[in-house]
Amino acid sequence: MTPIVGTFLSILSSITGQLGPNYDPLFYDVMIYIFGTMMFTIFLLGIISFWLRVHGWAYKDNRERWVDELDRHFEREGIGLIPDNGKYW
C-alpha cells in the first residue's frame, strides 16, 4: 500500500509542480495531445461499435431485430425507391 501512496504523491507533486513559476509548456502540450488522442480513440470505438451493432460482423449474422423490421417496412411501403414512370407522373 505504501508504494501506491508514494507513487500517487509523486505523480501529484509532478503535476502541481507545473503550476506557478515552474511552468513547463511542453508538459501541458503533451498532456493535451495524450488526452485528445484518448478522446478521439473513444469516439472511433463508439462509431465502430454502433456500426457493428447495426450491421453485425457479417451481413445477416448479428443484425438487430429493429433493423430487419425497418428494412421490411421500407420494402413494403416502397420508401427510398425511385418511382416508376407510369405510377407517379
Side-chain angles (χ1 to χ4, degrees):
M1 185 67 176
T2 304
I4 295 173
V5 172
T7 305
F8 178 71
L9 290 176
S10 168
I11 292 172
L12 190 62
S13 67
S14 70
I15 291 175
T16 56
Q18 296 298 322
L19 302 175
N22 298 326
Y23 170 72
D24 181 15
L26 185 61
F27 179 80
Y28 285 109
D29 291 344
V30 171
M31 279 182 56
I32 287 177
Y33 292 149
I34 291 172
F35 181 73
T37 304
M38 289 189 307
M39 289 296 106
F40 185 69
T41 304
I42 291 170
F43 173 73
L44 281 182
L45 286 175
I47 289 177
I48 291 169
S49 64
F50 180 76
W51 189 88
L52 285 175
R53 179 181 174 189
V54 171
H55 298 285
W57 287 104
Y59 179 67
K60 279 291 187 181
D61 278 353
N62 219 5
R63 297 180 84 200
E64 288 194 356
R65 192 179 324 123
W66 65 269
V67 178
D68 289 332
E69 290 175 3
L70 196 61
D71 285 343
R72 281 196 302 273
H73 171 70
F74 284 168
E75 289 171 6
R76 185 173 59 245
E77 298 295 327
I79 298 172
L81 300 176
I82 298 173
D84 57 344
N85 255 347
K87 191 173 180 182
Y88 293 101
W89 63 79

